[in-house]
Structure formats: structure tokens, C-alpha cells
Amino acid sequence: MDQARVVAAVEKGLFIDGKWVDATGGRTFDVVNPATGQTLCTVADASPEDGRAALDAAVAAQPAFAAMSPRDRADILTRAFELLHERVDDLALLMTLEMGKPLAEARGEIAYAAEFFRHFAGEAVRIDGGYQTAPAGGARFLVTRQPVGPCLLITPWNFPMAMGTRKLGPAIAAGCTSVIKPAPQTPLSMLALMDLLVEAGLPPGAVNCIATTDAGAVIEPMIRSGSIRKLSFTGSTGVGRKLLEQCAEKILRTSLELGGNAPFVVFEDADLDEAVDGAIAAKMRNMGEACTAANRIYVQSSVIDEFGRRLAEKMSALKVGPGTEDGVNVGPLIDAAALQKVETLVADAVSRGASVLTGGSAPGGDGFFYPPTVLTGVPRDAEMCDQEIFGPVAPLTPFDTEEEVIAAANDTEYGLVSYVFTNDLRRALRVAEALETGMVGLNQGVVSNPAAPFGGVKASGLGREGGSVGIDEFLETKYIGIKM
Ligand code: NAP
């Protein structure tokens, strides 16, 4: 009953210039519930012409939006923060239906998503500048900050609300208009957010939202149009690389939040229970479908058997099922391809000598379920050590020395986040400094926080989202030289 109601309540069109419109030719596509494999609803499928119309609306709205007072923009964000909390039950259910994560996690994501609006409401009214005497005297330097201009925002399916608000929060705070394109697997959360933003006072054209099944054909002309000034993309490294090349032509500002291959390092002096809980948090959040997911778990040889035993015991106690059911901890994977990928990676690791401590095979039946799985003795040349598993599989690999594990952890093109568990302060700081990642969790399995700078190095991306630097990505610095 509630499920049909929350899906029916969402507008299914394209949101352009403050109005809901159909896609060219009335094209639509299906949104599927991954827990059942059944279609939830259909939504408008944007064409390249629709993309152009959304871009034109963002460009037309830019001057007035930049001129809106910072306080007014902050008030929109604050009201949107409040509305997200007021509607958390319906929005969480909607997210669970389209994406699969358990309701408790969906509620957590709505709260996390809302926090970006609250954080950037604060940043909107603290955009700074400067006034300075030139070193030689005489002239003065006036430094001010202006919105970059119309932005293109592209998000993945794994955090359907938070990946959007993490971009929209700073864009709105800075005075940038935007076109946002959610992933076709999970467009409903972003579509629902559009009406909420209007209710919060957002003017027409300031944010436009188009879903499409033809991302390449719709997005590339927008990037090459010369009308947008910035791309902010969250998704895989492969697609990010391609978009960065497209952005080179017009020298667009780019923020890229890309893939990860997080090492999770447990030293023998760690509190093992804390490390097990940290591993479950880092591995099982979002069923392992997170860029921050622990992807390679290195455990010092003296404690690997005990760590594996405790982790397998806790992982096997997690309840798998549709995210809408009470008590479920682990929902389905996003689609059949994701399930197939996890099965293939596990089979590869086992064929190379890994042992299964728990889980290890899909139950079959409806939906794309895979059980929480712990593998031990995973060799470093297993395919899962080299790519994102994006599923509930924890691969344990032994190590002996600090030097050896640092080298292994850094032996990847990715550099988003790493996790270190140790009770030795000097070792903790030494290892945290040596790890080539943009973020490090020390004795904790979750690092995401809207008030902290989130982002990676190497092939995990460019720029940071959140924190006080998050708004910088949407601002240009202008210097005005004054002859006195
Ligand atoms: P993806 O395949 O790269 O897709 C991400 C978004 O880009 C989707 O909206 C997708 O739409 C779109 N897209 C794909 N090809 C495009 C093209 N040629 N032009 C324009 N847009 C295009 O990634 P995903 O599978 O959805 O998401 C999982 C990935 O995201 C993982 O690698 C994960 O690590 C990463 N991620 C990173 C962060 C972070 O903060 N670093 C956060 C979350 C996720 P279509 O689906 O229609 O192609």
C-alpha cells in the first residue's frame, strides 16, 4: 500500500525550467525493483534535444541565481534540509524500492543527504574575499569569489539521494545553476527531490533534472556546447576518464569522484573486536556497493585466523532479504550483472586457493541476492584485489611487516580511502601518512561526513566534496587590481 503510494507520488517527467515535461517523442524507460526484478514504474527518457533544453534553462537562470543573496540561497538549503527530515519515511521507502538497500540504511542516507544541505547553507554565507595593499605599496588587491557558472552534475545509483545533494548543496550555495542526471537504475529519489526543492523556494531553472538511458549521446553535446562551465561527476573511473577527455576541449572545471579499491589493514596490536566491527561497517554498508567499501582486507599473520573466525561469525548472522522487510541487514545487489560479477570474482579467488569461511554462493530465486561472504588466504593476484568487488564479500589476505602491507596497499591505481586498525599511535600516524589515499579511517570503518573533505587521489578522482573546501569547487577567484 505504502509502496504503491510513494512511487505514485513521484513526478516521472523531466524537470526543466521549473516545470515537469515529457521527453521528446514521449520516450520512457522502466525502473526495476532489484529485490523482485519487477518494474516499479516508468520515467521520462531524455533525448539529446531534451538535454539541450535543460542546459538552456540552466544557462538562462544563471545571472539571476548568482545575484540572489547568499542568505536567500542558504534559506532554500535550510528549508530543504528540514523537508528531507519531515519526509524521511516516504523518501527512504522510495530509495529502498529503487535501489535495494535496507530501510534503516535508506533512512540513514536521507539524513546524510540532508546534512549536505545544512552544511552548505552555512558555507553560502561565509564565501570570503580579501583586500590587500600590494607589496610595493600604492596599488590595492581586491579578491572576490564568483559562481563558476552553469554546472553539469552526474551521479551513480549506489547513493541515489546523497550523491545528488553532495553536489547540489555546494552548487546552490555558490550560486551555480545546474542540470543533474541521476543514474537510470535509481532516478526516483532525485525526481522526488526536485519538488521538495521547489517547495523550499528554489527558482525555476536553478536546478534541472533529466534521467536518460542514453547518457553518452545526451551528455557529450552538453559538455562540448561551450555553455556549461563545470562538470561534477561521481561514478566509475572508466567513465570519469572519458568525460575528463571531453571536458578538455572547452577547459571545463571538473570534479571527479571515482572508483576505489580500499585497503583495510589490521595490525596484531589492534583491538580485534573493534577491527571486526570496523570491517563490517566498511564492507557491508550498502551491501558492499560503495566506493569506500573495504576491498582488500590485510590482516597480520599472527591474528588472521582469529580475526577471520570472529568476522565470519558476525557476517553469517546478518539477515539477507528485501530491504523493505523488518530486520533485514543485507538487501539485493543492484542488478543481474552486479550479481554475476560478484560470483565470477569469488570463483576466481577460490580457484587461486582462497578458502570460504562463510557464504560464497548465491541463493538463486527472485531478486539479485548474494550472502555476506568471508574468504581467507586470498592471493594478491586474485582479480578481486585489482578491481571493485561492489558486493558483500570480504577477502582476507595475510601480511607480516608494516613495510610489506604499505607496499601492497598502495599497489593499485586507485587512492580513495584506506582503513588502519592499530593501538600504536606512532604506527597509526606513520602508516596513515604512507598510504596513497585521499582519506584514511583510523580505527573506524566509515569516514563519510558532510563536514569533512571527501575525495581521492590517483585514479580515484580530482577535487573534494564536503567540508569547507567543498564550495571552492563551485567558485572562481577573481582579483581586481586597483591603482590608488
Ligand atoms: P558509472 O557506470 O560510471 O555511472 C555513473 C553515472 O555516469 C551514471 O549516471 C551513468 O549513467 C553515467 N554515465 C555512464 N556513461 C556515461 C557517459 N558516457 N557520459 C555521461 N554519463 C555517463 O558508475 P556506476 O556503476 O553507476 O556507479 C558505481 C561507480 O561509482 C563505482 O566505481 C563507485 O566506486 C563509484 N562511486 C564513487 C564515489 C566517490 O565518491 N568516489 C561515490 C559513489 C560511487 P548510465 O548508467 O546510464 O550509463
Side-chain angles (χ1 to χ4, degrees):
M1 208 29 203
D2 267 358
Q3 300 189 7
R5 180 182 56 77
V6 298
V7 172
V10 181
E11 291 280 357
K12 313 289 190 312
L14 309 174
F15 185 67
I16 298 178
D17 202 18
K19 294 184 275 299
W20 290 101
V21 295
D22 289 337
T24 310
R27 286 197 327 158
T28 60
F29 67 92
D30 291 346
V31 181
V32 172
N33 180 344
T36 61
Q38 304 293 311
T39 298
L40 278 172
C41 62
T42 60
V43 304
D45 191 356
S47 67
E49 297 78 59
D50 298 321
R52 181 75 234 183
L55 182 54
D56 288 347
V59 170
Q62 180 59 62
F65 197 52
M68 182 184 263
S69 77
R71 175 66 70 202
D72 286 347
R73 293 200 304 267
D75 286 348
I76 293 169
L77 290 172
T78 301
R79 184 67 191 126
F81 162 81
E82 292 165 352
L83 288 170
L84 280 168
H85 278 281
E86 284 169 23
R87 314 242 163 106
V88 61
D89 291 341
D90 283 3
L91 291 170
L93 179 55
L94 187 68
M95 186 187 296
T96 293
L97 290 172
E98 67 174 344
M99 191 273 161
K101 68 182 72 185
L103 267 178
E105 283 201 45
R107 293 176 67 89
E109 185 182 333
I110 299 295
Y112 172 55
E115 210 52 42
F116 284 104
F117 284 171
R118 176 154 74 168
H119 175 78
F120 284 105
E123 295 296 334
V125 293
R126 287 178 187 81
I127 297 170
D128 59 0
Y131 184 75
Q132 178 191 340
T133 304
R140 300 290 187 270
F141 302 161
L142 185 62
V143 178
T144 188
R145 316 248 283 159
Q146 295 180 315
V148 168
C151 300
L152 182 53
L153 314 176
I154 301 177
T155 56
W157 49 263
N158 59 347
F159 293 96
M161 187 65 88
M163 295 302 96
T165 61
R166 198 162 79 170
K167 299 184 189 307
L168 289 169
I172 292 171
C176 294
T177 61
S178 59
V179 177
I180 186 160
K181 190 206 83 64
Q185 294 94 331
T186 59
L188 301 178
S189 294
M190 230 1 72
L191 294 175
L193 183 70
M194 293 303 115
D195 273 343
L196 190 147
L197 284 171
V198 170
E199 214 176 315
L202 191 82
V207 177
N208 306 273
C209 180
I210 54 167
T212 178
T213 54
D214 202 2
V218 172
I219 297 298
E220 185 167 357
M222 295 170 78
I223 291 178
R224 296 195 190 277
S225 68
S227 299
I228 64 157
R229 292 308 322 145
K230 177 180 175 72
L231 169 76
S232 178
F233 171 79
T234 298
S236 61
T237 295
V239 174
R241 222 175 238 134
K242 191 192 293 183
L243 296 179
L244 186 58
E245 279 178 22
Q246 294 174 13
C247 287
E249 186 190 343
K250 293 289 193 292
I251 320 287
L252 298 188
R253 287 276 296 268
T254 49
S255 301
L256 304 174
E257 297 288 349
L258 307 177
N261 181 3
F264 186 104
V265 181
V266 182
F267 287 98
E268 60 192 358
D269 59 38
D271 177 324
L272 271 202
D273 283 329
E274 197 173 59
V276 166
D277 289 345
I280 288 181
K283 180 77 252 179
M284 295 307 294
R285 181 172 177 230
N286 227 35
M287 292 81 72
E289 294 173 315
C291 53
T292 50
N295 207 62
R296 296 167 290 152
I297 302 181
Y298 297 113
V299 189
Q300 209 152 15
S301 300
S302 54
V303 293
I304 192 167
D305 289 346
E306 183 57 17
F307 179 87
R309 192 188 62 72
R310 293 192 208 177
L311 182 64
E313 192 179 303
K314 287 205 168 179
M315 291 272 277
S316 58
L318 298 174
K319 186 176 168 196
V320 182
T324 46
E325 279 181 16
D326 280 349
V328 163
N329 311 104
V330 186
L333 298 179
I334 190 68
D335 54 26
L339 178 58
Q340 168 77 49
K341 178 182 174 188
V342 171
E343 289 182 309
T344 305
L345 289 176
V346 170
D348 169 76
V350 170
S351 76
R352 291 172 197 261
S355 321
V356 179
L357 295 183
T358 186
S361 63
D366 289 342
F368 312 116
F369 294 95
Y370 197 84
T373 295
V374 180
L375 305 178
T376 194
V378 175
R380 289 183 197 160
D381 62 354
E383 284 175 21
M384 63 172 60
C385 296
D386 205 34
Q387 54 178 292
E388 292 181 293
I389 302 168
F390 248 55
V393 178
L396 311 189
T397 301
F399 73 90
D400 292 315
T401 68
E402 189 178 307
E403 295 69 29
E404 174 199 348
V405 77
I406 289 170
N410 288 340
D411 186 20
T412 169
E413 71 164 337
Y414 296 103
L416 186 62
V417 61
S418 47
Y419 305 91
V420 181
F421 281 72
T422 173
N423 277 331
D424 178 334
L425 176 66
R426 289 198 180 95
R427 164 177 277 166
L429 295 178
R430 208 166 47 227
V431 175
E433 286 187 14
L435 288 169
E436 297 168 352
T437 55
M439 303 174 286
V440 181
L442 271 185
N443 295 323
Q444 63 177 39
V446 175
V447 293
S448 307
N449 190 309
F454 187 104
V457 300
K458 295 160 72 177
S460 287
L462 293 173
R464 294 293 179 270
E465 291 188 321
S468 55
V469 296
I471 195 165
D472 294 344
E473 305 273 332
F474 291 85
L475 291 168
E476 292 287 6
T477 298
K478 180 179 278 180
Y479 147 61
I480 302 167
I482 307 164
K483 185 175 177 188
M484 295 298 277

